Amino acid sequence: QVQLVQSGAEVEKPGSSVKVSCKATGGTFSYYAVTWVRQAPGQGLEWMGGIIPIFGTTYYAQNFQGRVTITANESTSTAYMELNSLRSDDTALYFCARESYCTAGRCSIDIWGQGTRVIVSS
Amino acid sequence: EIVLTQSPATLSVSPGESATLSCRASQSVNTNLAWHQQKPGQAPRLLIYAASTRATGVPARFSGNGSGTEFTLTISSLQSEDFAVYYCQEYNNWPPTRTFGQGTKVELK
């Protein structure tokens, strides 16, 4: 049974960067996209971007273009999301998720990580 | 950019009743639509993908329907554990972009 295990909570200062990891255990990692989603306190889900590890192909939401970098290490089955130039409104829960339910090249999320809380405060 | 609009924002339901949630897309997403359930303090959980296919382990009381721009999630005979927020999400575009609806909260009446 595949699980996505994320790194622990982070507290960062405005203007700094944060890097969150997402390790896949118990199954295939490289062939399926890993996507990142965040949730501000009391708010809905916001898609940030994703990566297909076997190709290294990345794609980003326009809102985060230039500020987020998503990478993956196939040898450790781990994906990373780095967000730069942090602001107070980046305070949120950050989730990774795997997309492996595919039909004609369109793939749905099937499993989610447990989430990583990032607090941005001076 | 695709916009997903969910209605209603909040649905008050008694246990044992059924609930129907709606998700409307601003342009066709074919059947590339999923529904996720999120309980307080938890990560979301996939319920339905490809508009109508239940994910592994999801009870049969959850059913999805629709294609193109109009979708519904029906929960028949609501159980106490079904009170949660439900999000629709599309995954139709290539290169990939993803959009979530704003969520529907199903609460105890």
Side-chain angles (χ1 to χ4, degrees), chain A residues 82-101:
Chain A
E82 183 171 23
L83 187 61
N84 302 316
S85 303
L86 289 170
R87 309 183 290 252
S88 58
D89 62 359
D90 291 318
T91 294
L93 255 181
Y94 289 78
F95 296 101
C96 64
R98 188 184 76 164
E99 298 181 341
S100 75
Y101 285 160

Side-chain angles (χ1 to χ4, degrees), chain B residues 5-16:
Chain B
T5 302
Q6 291 187 241
S7 60
T10 304
L11 194 55
S12 299
V13 187
S14 299

Side-chain angles (χ1 to χ4, degrees), chain B residues 73-96:
Chain B
L73 173 70
T74 300
I75 313 169
S76 61
S77 190
L78 256 133
Q79 307 294 301
S80 57
E81 62 265 31
D82 300 335
F83 294 101
V85 179
Y86 294 83
Y87 294 95
C88 60
Q89 179 234 330
E90 64 80 25
Y91 51 95
N92 189 62
N93 283 351
W94 188 267

Side-chain angles (χ1 to χ4, degrees), chain A residues 27-47:
Chain A
T28 306
F29 171 77
S30 297
Y31 297 96
Y32 301 115
V34 175
T35 200
W36 288 88
V37 175
R38 79 175 185 181
Q39 186 172 39
Q43 302 301 308
L45 303 172
E46 180 180 23
W47 179 71

Side-chain angles (χ1 to χ4, degrees), chain B:
Chain B
E1 180 188 334
I2 297 172
V3 176
L4 297 180
T5 302
Q6 291 187 241
S7 60
T10 304
L11 194 55
S12 299
V13 187
S14 299
E17 292 183 339
S18 67
T20 298
L21 289 63
S22 174
C23 177
R24 175 175 291 176
S26 60
Q27 63 191 78
S28 175
V29 297
N30 299 298
T31 56
N32 298 309
L33 188 110
W35 290 91
H36 303 272
Q37 176 194 65
Q38 188 179 33
K39 297 179 182 178
Q42 296 186 17
R45 168 200 177 197
L46 175 71
L47 295 177
I48 301 285
Y49 65 99
S52 61
T53 304
R54 276 190 301 277
T56 304
V58 174
R61 64 181 181 272
F62 291 93
S63 62
N65 205 348
S67 65
T69 61
E70 301 282 344
F71 300 88
T72 57
L73 173 70
T74 300
I75 313 169
S76 61
S77 190
L78 256 133
Q79 307 294 301
S80 57
E81 62 265 31
D82 300 335
F83 294 101
V85 179
Y86 294 83
Y87 294 95
C88 60
Q89 179 234 330
E90 64 80 25
Y91 51 95
N92 189 62
N93 283 351
W94 188 267
T97 60
R98 304 286 184 256
T99 304
F100 289 89
Q102 80 278 21
T104 290
K105 182 179 181 180
V106 176
E107 65 174 23
L108 182 62
K109 188 174 183 181

